[in-house]
Coordinates of all heavy atoms in Angstrom, one line a residue:
M1 N 28.8 -34.3 20.4 CA 28.2 -33.3 19.5 C 27.1 -32.6 20.3 O 26.4 -33.1 21.1 CB 27.5 -34.1 18.4 CG 26.8 -33.2 17.4 SD 26.4 -34.0 15.9 CE 24.8 -34.6 16.3
D2 N 27.1 -31.3 20.1 CA 26.1 -30.4 20.8 C 24.7 -30.5 20.0 O 24.6 -30.1 18.9 CB 26.6 -29.0 20.8 CG 25.7 -28.1 21.6 OD1 24.9 -28.6 22.3 OD2 26.0 -26.9 21.6
V3 N 23.7 -31.0 20.7 CA 22.4 -31.2 20.1 C 21.8 -29.9 19.7 O 21.2 -29.7 18.7 CB 21.5 -32.0 21.0 CG1 20.1 -32.1 20.4 CG2 22.1 -33.4 21.3
N4 N 21.9 -28.8 20.6 CA 21.2 -27.6 20.3 C 21.8 -26.9 19.1 O 21.1 -26.3 18.3 CB 21.4 -26.6 21.5 CG 20.5 -27.1 22.7 OD1 19.5 -27.8 22.5 ND2 21.0 -26.8 23.9
L5 N 23.1 -27.0 18.9 CA 23.8 -26.4 17.8 C 23.4 -27.1 16.5 O 23.1 -26.5 15.5 CB 25.3 -26.4 17.9 CG 26.1 -25.8 16.8 CD1 25.8 -24.3 16.7 CD2 27.6 -26.0 17.1
A6 N 23.3 -28.4 16.5 CA 22.9 -29.2 15.4 C 21.4 -28.8 15.0 O 21.1 -28.7 13.8 CB 23.0 -30.7 15.6
T7 N 20.5 -28.7 16.0 CA 19.1 -28.4 15.8 C 19.0 -27.0 15.2 O 18.2 -26.7 14.3 CB 18.3 -28.5 17.1 OG1 18.5 -29.8 17.6 CG2 16.9 -28.2 16.8
E8 N 19.8 -26.0 15.7 CA 19.8 -24.7 15.2 C 20.2 -24.6 13.7 O 19.6 -23.9 12.9 CB 20.7 -23.8 16.0 CG 20.7 -22.3 15.6 CD 21.6 -21.5 16.5 OE1 21.7 -21.8 17.6 OE2 22.1 -20.5 15.9
K9 N 21.2 -25.4 13.3 CA 21.6 -25.4 11.9 C 20.6 -26.1 11.0 O 20.5 -25.8 9.8 CB 22.9 -26.2 11.8 CG 24.1 -25.4 12.4 CD 25.4 -26.2 12.2 CE 26.6 -25.4 12.8 NZ 27.8 -26.1 12.6
C10 N 19.7 -26.9 11.5 CA 18.7 -27.5 10.7 C 17.5 -26.6 10.4 O 16.8 -26.9 9.4 CB 18.2 -28.8 11.4 SG 19.4 -30.1 11.5
L11 N 17.2 -25.6 11.2 CA 16.0 -24.8 11.0 C 16.3 -23.6 10.2 O 17.2 -22.8 10.4 CB 15.5 -24.3 12.4 CG 15.1 -25.5 13.3 CD1 14.6 -24.9 14.7 CD2 14.0 -26.3 12.7
K12 N 15.5 -23.4 9.1 CA 15.6 -22.3 8.2 C 14.2 -21.7 8.1 O 13.2 -22.4 8.0 CB 16.1 -22.7 6.8 CG 17.4 -23.4 6.8 CD 18.5 -22.6 7.3 CE 19.8 -23.4 7.3 NZ 20.9 -22.8 8.0
T13 N 14.1 -20.3 8.1 CA 12.9 -19.6 8.1 C 12.7 -18.9 6.8 O 13.6 -18.2 6.3 CB 12.8 -18.6 9.2 OG1 13.0 -19.3 10.5 CG2 11.4 -17.9 9.3
A14 N 11.5 -19.0 6.2 CA 11.1 -18.3 5.0 C 9.8 -17.5 5.3 O 8.9 -18.1 5.9 CB 10.9 -19.2 3.8
T15 N 9.8 -16.3 4.9 CA 8.6 -15.4 5.2 C 7.8 -15.2 3.9 O 8.3 -14.9 2.9 CB 9.0 -14.1 5.7 OG1 9.8 -14.3 6.9 CG2 7.8 -13.2 6.0
Y16 N 6.5 -15.5 4.0 CA 5.5 -15.3 2.9 C 4.5 -14.4 3.4 O 4.4 -14.1 4.6 CB 4.9 -16.6 2.5 CG 5.9 -17.6 2.0 CD1 6.4 -18.6 2.8 CD2 6.4 -17.6 0.7 CE1 7.3 -19.6 2.4 CE2 7.4 -18.5 0.3 CZ 7.8 -19.5 1.1 OH 8.7 -20.4 0.7
I17 N 3.6 -13.9 2.5 CA 2.5 -13.0 3.0 C 1.5 -13.8 3.8 O 0.9 -14.7 3.2 CB 1.9 -12.3 1.8 CG1 2.9 -11.4 1.1 CG2 0.7 -11.5 2.2 CD1 2.4 -10.7 -0.2
G18 N 1.4 -13.4 5.0 CA 0.4 -14.1 5.9 C 0.9 -15.2 6.8 O 0.3 -15.6 7.7
Y19 N 2.1 -15.7 6.5 CA 2.7 -16.7 7.4 C 4.2 -16.8 7.2 O 4.7 -16.4 6.2 CB 2.0 -18.1 7.1 CG 2.2 -18.6 5.7 CD1 3.3 -19.5 5.5 CD2 1.5 -18.2 4.6 CE1 3.5 -20.0 4.2 CE2 1.7 -18.7 3.4 CZ 2.7 -19.6 3.2 OH 2.9 -20.2 1.9
D20 N 4.8 -17.4 8.2 CA 6.2 -17.8 8.1 C 6.3 -19.3 8.1 O 5.6 -20.0 8.7 CB 7.0 -17.3 9.4 CG 7.0 -15.8 9.5 OD1 7.0 -15.1 8.4 OD2 7.0 -15.3 10.6
R21 N 7.2 -19.8 7.2 CA 7.4 -21.2 7.1 C 8.8 -21.6 7.7 O 9.8 -21.0 7.2 CB 7.3 -21.6 5.6 CG 7.5 -23.1 5.4 CD 7.1 -23.6 4.1 NE 5.7 -23.7 4.0 CZ 5.0 -24.0 2.9 NH1 5.7 -24.1 1.8 NH2 3.7 -24.1 2.9
I22 N 8.8 -22.5 8.6 CA 10.0 -22.9 9.3 C 10.3 -24.3 8.7 O 9.6 -25.2 8.9 CB 9.8 -22.9 10.8 CG1 9.5 -21.6 11.3 CG2 11.1 -23.5 11.4 CD1 9.1 -21.5 12.8
H23 N 11.4 -24.4 8.0 CA 11.9 -25.6 7.4 C 12.9 -26.3 8.3 O 13.8 -25.7 8.8 CB 12.6 -25.4 6.0 CG 11.7 -24.8 5.0 ND1 10.9 -25.7 4.2 CD2 11.3 -23.6 4.6 CE1 10.2 -24.9 3.3 NE2 10.5 -23.7 3.6
N24 N 12.7 -27.6 8.5 CA 13.7 -28.4 9.2 C 14.4 -29.2 8.0 O 13.9 -30.2 7.6 CB 13.1 -29.3 10.2 CG 14.1 -30.1 11.0 OD1 15.2 -30.3 10.5 ND2 13.7 -30.5 12.2
V25 N 15.5 -28.7 7.6 CA 16.2 -29.2 6.4 C 16.8 -30.6 6.8 O 17.1 -31.4 5.8 CB 17.2 -28.3 5.8 CG1 16.6 -27.1 5.3 CG2 18.3 -27.9 6.9
C26 N 17.0 -30.9 8.0 CA 17.6 -32.2 8.4 C 16.6 -33.3 8.3 O 16.9 -34.4 7.8 CB 18.1 -32.1 9.8 SG 19.5 -31.0 10.0
K27 N 15.3 -33.0 8.7 CA 14.2 -34.0 8.6 C 13.4 -33.9 7.3 O 12.6 -34.8 7.0 CB 13.3 -33.9 9.8 CG 14.0 -34.2 11.1 CD 12.9 -34.1 12.2 CE 13.6 -34.5 13.6 NZ 12.6 -34.4 14.7
G28 N 13.5 -32.8 6.6 CA 12.7 -32.6 5.4 C 11.2 -32.2 5.7 O 10.4 -32.4 4.9
T29 N 11.0 -31.6 6.9 CA 9.6 -31.2 7.2 C 9.6 -29.7 7.3 O 10.6 -29.0 7.3 CB 9.2 -31.8 8.6 OG1 10.2 -31.3 9.6 CG2 9.3 -33.3 8.5
F30 N 8.3 -29.1 7.4 CA 8.2 -27.7 7.6 C 6.9 -27.5 8.5 O 6.0 -28.3 8.6 CB 8.1 -27.0 6.3 CG 6.9 -27.3 5.4 CD1 5.6 -26.7 5.6 CD2 6.9 -28.3 4.5 CE1 4.5 -27.0 4.9 CE2 5.8 -28.7 3.7 CZ 4.6 -28.0 3.9
L31 N 6.9 -26.2 9.0 CA 5.8 -25.8 9.9 C 5.4 -24.4 9.5 O 6.2 -23.5 9.4 CB 6.2 -25.8 11.3 CG 5.2 -25.3 12.4 CD1 4.0 -26.1 12.5 CD2 5.9 -25.1 13.7
D32 N 4.1 -24.2 9.2 CA 3.6 -22.9 8.8 C 3.1 -22.2 10.1 O 2.3 -22.7 10.8 CB 2.4 -23.0 7.8 CG 2.9 -23.4 6.5 OD1 4.1 -23.2 6.2 OD2 2.1 -23.9 5.7
V33 N 3.6 -21.0 10.3 CA 3.2 -20.2 11.5 C 2.5 -18.9 11.0 O 3.2 -18.1 10.3 CB 4.4 -19.8 12.4 CG1 4.0 -19.0 13.6 CG2 5.2 -21.0 12.8
P34 N 1.2 -18.8 11.3 CA 0.5 -17.6 10.8 C 1.0 -16.3 11.4 O 1.5 -16.3 12.6 CB -1.0 -17.8 11.1 CG -0.9 -18.9 12.1 CD 0.3 -19.6 12.0
W35 N 0.9 -15.2 10.7 CA 1.3 -13.9 11.2 C 0.3 -13.5 12.4 O -0.8 -13.8 12.3 CB 1.2 -12.8 10.1 CG 2.3 -12.8 9.2 CD1 3.4 -13.7 9.2 CD2 2.5 -11.9 8.1 NE1 4.2 -13.3 8.2 CE2 3.7 -12.2 7.5 CE3 1.8 -10.8 7.7 CZ2 4.2 -11.5 6.4 CZ3 2.3 -10.1 6.6 CH2 3.5 -10.5 6.0
G36 N 0.9 -12.7 13.3 CA 0.1 -12.1 14.4 C -0.3 -10.7 14.0 O -0.1 -10.2 12.9
T37 N -1.0 -10.1 14.9 CA -1.5 -8.7 14.7 C -0.4 -7.7 14.4 O -0.5 -6.9 13.5 CB -2.3 -8.3 15.9 OG1 -3.3 -9.2 16.2 CG2 -2.9 -6.9 15.7
A38 N 0.7 -7.8 15.1 CA 1.8 -6.9 14.9 C 2.4 -7.1 13.5 O 2.8 -6.1 12.8 CB 2.9 -7.1 15.9
D39 N 2.5 -8.3 13.0 CA 3.1 -8.5 11.6 C 2.1 -7.9 10.6 O 2.6 -7.3 9.6 CB 3.2 -10.0 11.4 CG 4.2 -10.7 12.3 OD1 5.3 -10.1 12.5 OD2 4.0 -11.8 12.8
W40 N 0.8 -8.1 10.7 CA -0.1 -7.5 9.8 C -0.1 -6.0 9.8 O -0.2 -5.3 8.8 CB -1.5 -8.1 10.0 CG -1.8 -9.4 9.5 CD1 -1.9 -10.6 10.2 CD2 -1.8 -9.8 8.1 NE1 -2.1 -11.6 9.3 CE2 -2.0 -11.2 8.0 CE3 -1.7 -9.1 6.9 CZ2 -2.1 -11.8 6.8 CZ3 -1.7 -9.8 5.7 CH2 -2.0 -11.1 5.7
F41 N 0.0 -5.5 11.1 CA 0.0 -4.0 11.2 C 1.3 -3.4 10.5 O 1.2 -2.4 9.8 CB 0.0 -3.6 12.7 CG 0.1 -2.1 12.9 CD1 -1.0 -1.3 12.7 CD2 1.3 -1.5 13.3 CE1 -1.0 0.0 12.9 CE2 1.4 -0.2 13.5 CZ 0.2 0.6 13.3
G42 N 2.4 -4.1 10.7 CA 3.6 -3.6 10.1 C 3.6 -3.7 8.6 O 4.0 -2.8 7.9
A43 N 3.0 -4.8 8.0 CA 2.9 -4.9 6.6 C 1.9 -3.8 6.0 O 2.2 -3.2 5.0 CB 2.4 -6.3 6.2
C44 N 0.8 -3.6 6.7 CA -0.1 -2.6 6.2 C 0.5 -1.2 6.3 O 0.3 -0.3 5.5 CB -1.4 -2.7 7.0 SG -2.4 -4.2 6.7
F45 N 1.2 -0.9 7.4 CA 1.9 0.4 7.6 C 2.8 0.6 6.4 O 2.9 1.7 5.8 CB 2.6 0.4 8.9 CG 3.3 1.7 9.2 CD1 2.5 2.8 9.5 CD2 4.6 1.8 9.1 CE1 3.2 4.1 9.8 CE2 5.3 3.0 9.4 CZ 4.5 4.1 9.7
V46 N 3.6 -0.3 6.1 CA 4.6 -0.2 5.0 C 3.9 0.0 3.7 O 4.2 0.9 2.9 CB 5.5 -1.4 4.9 CG1 6.3 -1.4 3.6 CG2 6.5 -1.4 6.1
A47 N 2.8 -0.7 3.4 CA 2.0 -0.5 2.2 C 1.4 0.9 2.1 O 1.4 1.5 1.0 CB 0.9 -1.6 2.1
V48 N 0.9 1.4 3.2 CA 0.3 2.8 3.2 C 1.4 3.8 3.0 O 1.2 4.7 2.2 CB -0.4 3.0 4.6 CG1 -0.7 4.5 4.7 CG2 -1.6 2.2 4.7
I49 N 2.6 3.7 3.6 CA 3.7 4.6 3.4 C 4.1 4.6 1.9 O 4.3 5.7 1.3 CB 4.9 4.3 4.3 CG1 4.5 4.5 5.8 CG2 6.1 5.1 4.0 CD1 4.1 5.9 6.1
V50 N 4.3 3.4 1.3 CA 4.7 3.3 -0.1 C 3.6 4.0 -1.0 O 4.0 4.7 -1.9 CB 4.9 1.9 -0.5 CG1 5.1 1.7 -2.0 CG2 6.2 1.3 0.2
T51 N 2.3 3.7 -0.7 CA 1.3 4.3 -1.5 C 1.3 5.8 -1.4 O 1.2 6.5 -2.4 CB -0.1 3.8 -1.0 OG1 -0.1 2.3 -1.2 CG2 -1.2 4.3 -1.9
V52 N 1.5 6.4 -0.2 CA 1.5 7.8 -0.1 C 2.7 8.4 -0.8 O 2.6 9.5 -1.5 CB 1.6 8.2 1.4 CG1 2.0 9.7 1.7 CG2 0.3 7.9 2.1
I53 N 3.9 7.8 -0.8 CA 5.0 8.3 -1.5 C 4.8 8.3 -3.0 O 5.1 9.2 -3.7 CB 6.3 7.5 -1.1 CG1 6.7 7.8 0.3 CG2 7.4 7.7 -2.1 CD1 7.8 6.9 0.9
I54 N 4.2 7.2 -3.5 CA 3.9 7.1 -4.9 C 2.9 8.2 -5.3 O 3.1 8.9 -6.4 CB 3.4 5.7 -5.3 CG1 4.5 4.7 -5.2 CG2 2.8 5.8 -6.7 CD1 4.1 3.3 -5.4
L55 N 1.9 8.5 -4.5 CA 0.9 9.5 -4.8 C 1.6 10.9 -4.8 O 1.3 11.8 -5.7 CB -0.3 9.5 -3.9 CG -1.2 8.2 -4.1 CD1 -2.3 8.2 -3.0 CD2 -1.8 8.3 -5.4
L56 N 2.4 11.1 -3.8 CA 3.1 12.4 -3.8 C 4.0 12.6 -5.0 O 4.1 13.7 -5.5 CB 3.9 12.5 -2.5 CG 3.1 12.7 -1.2 CD1 4.0 12.7 0.0 CD2 2.3 14.0 -1.2
L57 N 4.7 11.6 -5.4 CA 5.6 11.7 -6.6 C 4.8 12.0 -7.8 O 5.2 12.8 -8.7 CB 6.4 10.4 -6.7 CG 7.6 10.3 -5.7 CD1 8.2 8.9 -5.9 CD2 8.6 11.4 -5.8
L58 N 3.6 11.3 -8.0 CA 2.8 11.6 -9.1 C 2.2 13.0 -9.1 O 2.1 13.6 -10.2 CB 1.6 10.6 -9.1 CG 1.9 9.2 -9.6 CD1 0.7 8.2 -9.4 CD2 2.4 9.1 -11.0
A59 N 1.9 13.5 -7.9 CA 1.4 14.9 -7.8 C 2.5 15.9 -8.2 O 2.2 16.9 -8.9 CB 0.9 15.2 -6.4
M60 N 3.7 15.6 -7.8 CA 4.8 16.5 -8.2 C 5.1 16.4 -9.7 O 5.3 17.4 -10.4 CB 6.1 16.0 -7.5 CG 6.1 16.4 -6.0 SD 7.5 15.7 -5.1 CE 8.9 15.9 -6.1
L61 N 4.9 15.2 -10.3 CA 5.1 15.1 -11.7 C 4.1 15.9 -12.5 O 4.4 16.5 -13.5 CB 5.1 13.6 -12.1 CG 5.3 13.3 -13.6 CD1 6.7 13.7 -14.0 CD2 5.1 11.8 -13.8
V62 N 2.8 15.8 -12.1 CA 1.7 16.5 -12.7 C 2.0 18.0 -12.6 O 1.8 18.8 -13.6 CB 0.4 16.1 -12.1 CG1 -0.7 17.1 -12.5 CG2 0.0 14.7 -12.5
A63 N 2.4 18.5 -11.4 CA 2.6 19.9 -11.2 C 3.8 20.4 -12.1 O 3.7 21.5 -12.7 CB 2.9 20.2 -9.8
M64 N 4.8 19.6 -12.2 CA 6.0 20.0 -13.0 C 5.6 20.0 -14.5 O 6.0 20.9 -15.3 CB 7.1 19.0 -12.8 CG 7.8 19.2 -11.5 SD 9.1 18.0 -11.1 CE 10.0 17.8 -12.6
T65 N 4.8 19.0 -14.9 CA 4.4 19.0 -16.3 C 3.5 20.2 -16.7 O 3.6 20.8 -17.7 CB 3.6 17.6 -16.6 OG1 4.5 16.6 -16.2 CG2 3.2 17.5 -18.0
R66 N 2.5 20.5 -15.8 CA 1.7 21.7 -16.0 C 2.5 23.0 -16.1 O 2.3 23.8 -17.0 CB 0.7 21.8 -14.9 CG -0.5 20.8 -15.0 CD -1.5 21.1 -14.0 NE -2.6 20.1 -14.1 CZ -3.5 20.0 -13.2 NH1 -3.6 20.8 -12.1 NH2 -4.5 19.1 -13.3
T67 N 3.5 23.1 -15.2 CA 4.4 24.3 -15.3 C 5.1 24.4 -16.6 O 5.3 25.4 -17.1 CB 5.3 24.2 -14.1 OG1 4.6 24.1 -12.9 CG2 6.2 25.5 -14.0
M68 N 5.7 23.2 -17.0 CA 6.4 23.2 -18.3 C 5.6 23.5 -19.5 O 6.0 24.2 -20.4 CB 7.2 21.9 -18.4 CG 8.3 21.7 -17.4 SD 9.0 20.0 -17.4 CE 9.5 19.9 -19.1
I69 N 4.4 23.0 -19.5 CA 3.5 23.2 -20.7 C 2.9 24.6 -20.7 O 2.8 25.2 -21.8 CB 2.4 22.1 -20.7 CG1 3.1 20.7 -21.0 CG2 1.4 22.4 -21.8 CD1 2.1 19.5 -20.9
F70 N 2.4 25.0 -19.6 CA 1.6 26.3 -19.6 C 2.3 27.5 -19.3 O 1.8 28.6 -19.2 CB 0.4 26.1 -18.7 CG -0.6 25.0 -19.1 CD1 -0.8 23.9 -18.3 CD2 -1.2 25.1 -20.3 CE1 -1.7 22.9 -18.8 CE2 -2.1 24.1 -20.8 CZ -2.3 23.0 -20.0
D71 N 3.6 27.4 -19.0 CA 4.4 28.6 -18.7 C 5.3 29.0 -19.9 O 5.7 28.4 -20.7 CB 5.3 28.5 -17.5 CG 4.5 28.7 -16.2 OD1 3.4 29.3 -16.3 OD2 5.0 28.4 -15.1

């Protein structure tokens, strides 16, 4: 039996905000690994982009509503 293959099948990763949890399903244990700077930067970048898109869509909705009401 290949030990590396068996070990690889035992490890499962779950991502939460702020850390990744690595489960060893064969032993029933887990390890929490905190996010690094790049992970936090990526999460903040995505949050900023989503916020900007929502604000732009709201601005478009307001402009369309004003045009429909006052024209």
Side-chain angles (χ1 to χ4, degrees):
M1 180 168 88
D2 188 8
V3 176
N4 291 332
L5 182 60
T7 302
E8 182 179 330
K9 288 182 180 180
C10 289
L11 298 178
K12 306 294 179 192
T13 303
T15 301
Y16 300 98
I17 296 176
Y19 64 96
D20 294 327
R21 180 169 281 176
I22 301 171
H23 292 273
N24 186 335
V25 294
C26 296
K27 292 182 180 179
T29 60
F30 64 88
L31 173 68
D32 289 337
V33 180
W35 281 2
T37 304
D39 295 319
W40 280 111
F41 180 75
C44 291
F45 180 74
V46 169
V48 167
I49 295 297
V50 168
T51 302
V52 167
I53 290 172
I54 289 172
L55 290 175
L56 288 174
L57 289 173
L58 285 173
M60 287 172 42
L61 180 64
V62 167
M64 287 173 46
T65 305
R66 284 186 181 170
T67 303
M68 291 171 59
I69 291 175
F70 296 116
D71 277 348

